[in-house]
Amino acid sequence: MMHPITVENLVVRYAKKKALDGVSFSVKSGEIFGFIGPNGAGKSTTIKSLLGLILPDEGVIRLDGLSPGQARSRMKVGFLPEETTFYRFLTPLEILDYYGRLFGLDGKLLKQRITYVLERVGLAEVRHRRIGTFSKGMVQKVGLAQALINDPEILILDEPTSGLDPLARLELRGVLAELKKRGRTLFFSSHELSEVELLCDSIAILREGRIVRSGSLEEVVGTDRRKNLELFFLETMQAPT
Amino acid sequence: MTSTARILAMAKMVWVEIFRKKDFYVAFILVGVVLVYAANLRFYNIQGISRYLMDLGLALIFFSASLLTILLAARQYPNELRDRTLQVLLSKPVSRFEFVIAKFLGSLAAGLTCFILFILVFLFIVLSRAGSISWVTAFQTVYLFALNLAVLAAMTSAFSYFFTLGANVTTTFILYLTINLYGGSLGTAAAGLKGPAFIAAHVAYWVIPHFEFFDARQRFVHQWPALSAPLVFEVTLYAFLYTAFFILLGWSLLRRRKV
C-alpha cells in the first residue's frame, strides 16, 4: 500500500557537511506523525526537502507517489512554516484570496473556502484588518489558515505551537484532531514534546541528521507510564552516538 | 490554473505593496510640490526658462520613478526570504521561473503606475502653462522611459538573487546613474585609451545596458522632431533583449538554490 509520505535514504549536504544522513521514514494515511529532535538536528531541512524547496543530494521522497517538485504533488500539500511574518500590508481575506488563487481556486468555491477557513481558525472577525496589526498568535493563525486553503491531503507543520498561548494551542489541537478525523495526513515537527505526545500516532527522533528511533508512540516510549516522551527524548539525546 | 494566472496573482501582490506603503506617497507629494513650485517661478521673463524648468521637472519624475522601481524590485526576494513567505509561496504549485517573472512584472507595473501618475501631474501643469506640446514626442518620451523601467526592474530583480538588499540598491543605483551620465561617452573615452584599459573600456561599452538610449527628455523639452519608427523599434528590441537576459540571469541564480 502506498503511503502519503515516503522518504528513503535522504542525504542533504550544506557545503561539505551532511545535514541529513540517510533519513528514511514513511507516514501512513490519516496519521499524525511527530518529527522531533534538538536544534540543528535536520528537522527543517527534512521539511524543506518534503516541500521540494531543497533538492536532496541522495535519496527519494514521494508524496502520494509523486516527487515533491511536481506541481501535482504540491496541490495536495498544505504547509505551515515556523514563525512566518506574512505580508503585513494585507488582510487575512486578501492573503487567503491570493494563496487560494495559486491553487487554481476562484469564484464561489474560493469564497466558501476562505469563509470556512477563517471561521475555523477564529479570524473571521478580523478578516479586514491588516496583518501588520496582529499579535504573534494571530499571525500563526493566518499561517494555519493559508495552509488549509486548498483542503490539503497532507499537512506539514513546522513548530505549529510556537508563540501560541495555552488557549490558542487548545484551538490548534482541535483543528488538527478534526483534520485527522477527516482522514488527512499530518507531519508535525515540534520542540513541544507534550504536544507531540498528545497529538501524534507515530514519531521519529532525529539526531545529527540521522533518525535514531521511530515507530508508534507506544513502540518508541514503551508502555511504562512513568516514562514520558520528554524523559525518553532526553535519555536518547544524552546517549553516546 | 494556468501559469499566466499564477504569475498575474503574484505580480498583483507586488503592485499592491507599493500603494500600501509610504514610499510612493512621499515621492508623489514631493514631485507634486516641486513641479507646482517650479511652474510658478518667475525669473524676470528670461527666455527659455520654462524649458529649463520642464527639463528639471521631467528629470525629477524620471529619478523618482526609477528610485521607486529599484527599491521595490530590490526588496522582493530578500523580504520574502526573511519573512519565510518564500517557503510558503514555493510550497504551492508555483515554479521558480513563475516567481522570477512575477516579481519582475509586478515591480515594472508598480514603477510604471507611479511614473504615469507623475507624468499626468506634469502634463497638467505644462498644458496649463505652455498651452500646447508635441504629442508624438511626448508619447515617445513616455514609451522609451517605460522601456528603461523594464530593463531597470529586470536588472534590479536579477541582482536581488545575488546581493543583499542594501548592496543591491546601492550597486544598482550607482550603476544606473553612472550609465545615464557617462554611458554615451564611454565609447569616445575608450578610443583614447591603450592596452588593457582600451579593451576593458570597449568591453564595458558593449556589455552595459545603455539606459541613456531611453532618455528622450531633450527631444520633448526642445520640441525637436520625433524619432523615426525604425529607431524606436531598434531601441525596443534592445530593451527586450536586456530584460530577457536579466530575467534569465535571475532564474538561473534561483533555480536550484536551497531556500
Side-chain angles (χ1 to χ4, degrees):
Chain A
M1 188 192 150
M2 192 171 64
H3 293 305
I5 303 176
T6 311
V7 176
E8 285 170 20
N9 198 29
L10 188 65
V11 176
V12 175
R13 291 185 190 90
Y14 286 111
K16 283 182 181 171
K17 194 182 176 298
K18 274 186 180 174
L20 294 178
D21 188 5
V23 169
S24 298
F25 62 87
S26 60
V27 183
K28 291 178 203 152
S29 184
E31 184 177 64
I32 303 187
F33 186 87
F35 202 58
I36 57 177
N39 290 334
K43 298 190 298 296
S44 293
T45 304
T46 308
I47 286 178
K48 286 178 183 180
S49 304
L50 287 176
L51 296 165
L53 301 175
I54 286 178
L55 292 177
D57 294 292
E58 288 171 41
V60 177
I61 301 172
R62 286 282 175 263
L63 301 178
D64 256 352
L66 301 165
S67 157
Q70 286 178 264
R72 269 170 61 213
S73 79
R74 289 180 188 178
M75 290 293 285
K76 301 177 177 193
V77 175
F79 169 52
L80 170 65
E82 184 192 1
E83 293 186 17
T84 304
T85 317
F86 288 107
Y87 307 99
R88 296 168 58 84
F89 55 91
L90 295 180
T91 66
L93 201 63
E94 289 170 330
I95 217 160
L96 292 179
D97 182 83
Y98 170 46
Y99 285 132
R101 283 178 195 282
L102 297 180
F103 281 105
L105 301 171
D106 58 10
K108 210 175 168 185
L109 183 63
L110 179 59
K111 271 187 185 166
Q112 280 174 353
R113 261 326 279 173
I114 292 174
T115 308
Y116 169 75
V117 166
L118 283 174
E119 277 173 11
R120 194 64 200 84
V121 301
L123 287 175
E125 295 285 309
V126 291
R127 63 187 184 278
H128 294 297
R129 238 174 80 184
R130 292 222 182 143
I131 293 167
T133 64
F134 282 10
S135 67
K136 201 175 170 185
M138 284 165 85
V139 174
Q140 191 74 343
K141 283 181 178 179
V142 175
L144 183 61
Q146 65 76 29
L148 297 175
I149 192 70
N150 58 325
D151 195 12
E153 287 169 32
I154 300 168
L155 189 61
I156 297 172
L157 308 147
D158 192 2
E159 303 284 353
T161 50
S162 162
L164 295 185
D165 61 38
L167 197 66
R169 280 177 192 213
L170 189 71
E171 283 173 9
L172 177 74
R173 278 204 291 270
V175 175
L176 300 185
E178 188 196 300
L179 287 166
K180 179 181 157 62
K181 210 182 275 178
R182 288 173 52 210
R184 302 299 189 247
T185 306
L186 278 76
F187 182 92
F188 186 124
S189 140
S190 183
H191 279 115
E192 304 286 340
L193 299 180
S194 55
E195 292 290 337
V196 173
E197 211 165 9
L198 270 170
L199 283 164
C200 298
D201 304 302
S202 298
I203 60 164
I205 302 177
L206 196 67
R207 182 180 176 185
E208 293 169 13
R210 288 167 180 267
I211 289 185
V212 286
R213 292 298 286 271
S214 68
S216 71
L217 207 57
E218 288 76 25
E219 281 169 3
V220 174
V221 184
T223 48
D224 186 351
R225 302 299 300 167
R226 288 167 301 175
K227 215 173 184 182
N228 62 16
L229 182 59
E230 193 161 347
L231 267 175
F232 181 80
F233 178 78
L234 291 172
E235 276 174 20
T236 310
M237 288 305 124
Q238 283 160 357
T241 47
Chain B
M1 190 193 204
T2 63
S3 179
T4 314
R6 281 193 297 269
I7 289 171
L8 290 178
M10 285 186 280
K12 188 186 156 195
M13 275 304 123
V14 184
W15 189 83
V16 167
E17 183 185 342
I18 202 160
F19 299 104
R20 297 264 172 106
K21 291 190 173 174
K22 287 177 192 141
D23 322 22
F24 165 74
Y25 299 98
V26 170
F28 189 74
I29 291 167
L30 204 71
V31 168
V33 167
V34 173
L35 287 179
V36 170
Y37 178 71
N40 287 296
L41 279 178
R42 290 285 177 272
F43 290 104
Y44 310 106
N45 293 325
I46 299 170
Q47 282 281 316
I49 198 74
S50 62
R51 283 181 187 174
Y52 169 74
L53 295 175
M54 213 190 274
D55 193 13
L56 186 78
L58 273 179
L60 181 69
I61 288 169
F62 279 31
F63 177 82
S64 306
S66 302
L67 187 62
L68 286 172
T69 306
I70 290 173
L71 289 174
L72 187 68
R75 71 181 173 222
Q76 290 306 310
Y77 173 72
N79 284 4
E80 294 260 14
L81 195 65
R82 182 199 62 198
D83 297 340
R84 301 188 194 203
T85 44
L86 182 68
Q87 295 174 3
V88 177
L89 202 55
L90 295 180
S91 72
K92 316 266 184 242
V94 169
S95 75
R96 296 188 182 205
F97 187 67
E98 288 169 355
F99 175 84
V100 171
I101 292 269
K103 290 300 179 185
F104 155 71
L105 283 179
S107 306
L108 174 62
L112 273 178
T113 310
C114 297
F115 173 60
I116 288 166
L117 288 173
F118 293 157
I119 279 290
L120 287 176
V121 175
F122 174 78
L123 285 178
F124 175 76
I125 292 169
V126 167
L127 286 173
S128 64
R129 297 270 154 194
S132 69
I133 55 164
S134 161
W135 285 101
V136 177
T137 322
F139 176 76
Q140 280 187 346
T141 308
V142 170
Y143 174 72
L144 290 179
F145 189 70
L147 295 179
N148 173 90
L149 285 184
V151 179
L152 184 62
M155 186 173 90
T156 316
S157 287
F159 287 177
S160 74
Y161 302 108
F162 183 74
F163 290 122
T164 61
L165 175 58
N168 188 7
V169 171
T170 312
T171 308
T172 309
F173 196 66
I174 290 174
L175 204 61
Y176 180 64
L177 273 186
T178 311
I179 293 172
N180 262 307
L181 292 173
Y182 305 111
S185 54
L186 189 61
T188 322
L193 298 171
K194 282 178 183 171
F198 172 82
I199 295 166
H202 263 87
V203 168
Y205 181 78
W206 290 106
V207 166
I208 57 167
H210 284 271
F211 289 106
E212 77 277 8
F213 288 177
F214 309 110
D215 189 352
R217 272 179 304 145
Q218 299 304 315
R219 213 161 269 281
F220 174 76
V221 169
H222 299 289
Q223 295 173 353
W224 294 338
L227 293 165
S228 67
L231 188 61
V232 173
F233 176 75
E234 278 174 32
V235 178
T236 305
L237 192 65
Y238 181 82
F240 178 80
L241 288 174
Y242 265 99
T243 304
F245 166 75
F246 283 123
I247 288 171
L248 288 174
L249 177 68
W251 176 65
S252 69
L253 290 169
L254 183 66
R255 199 164 61 102
R256 295 181 71 84
R257 182 172 294 173
K258 294 179 166 92
V259 294

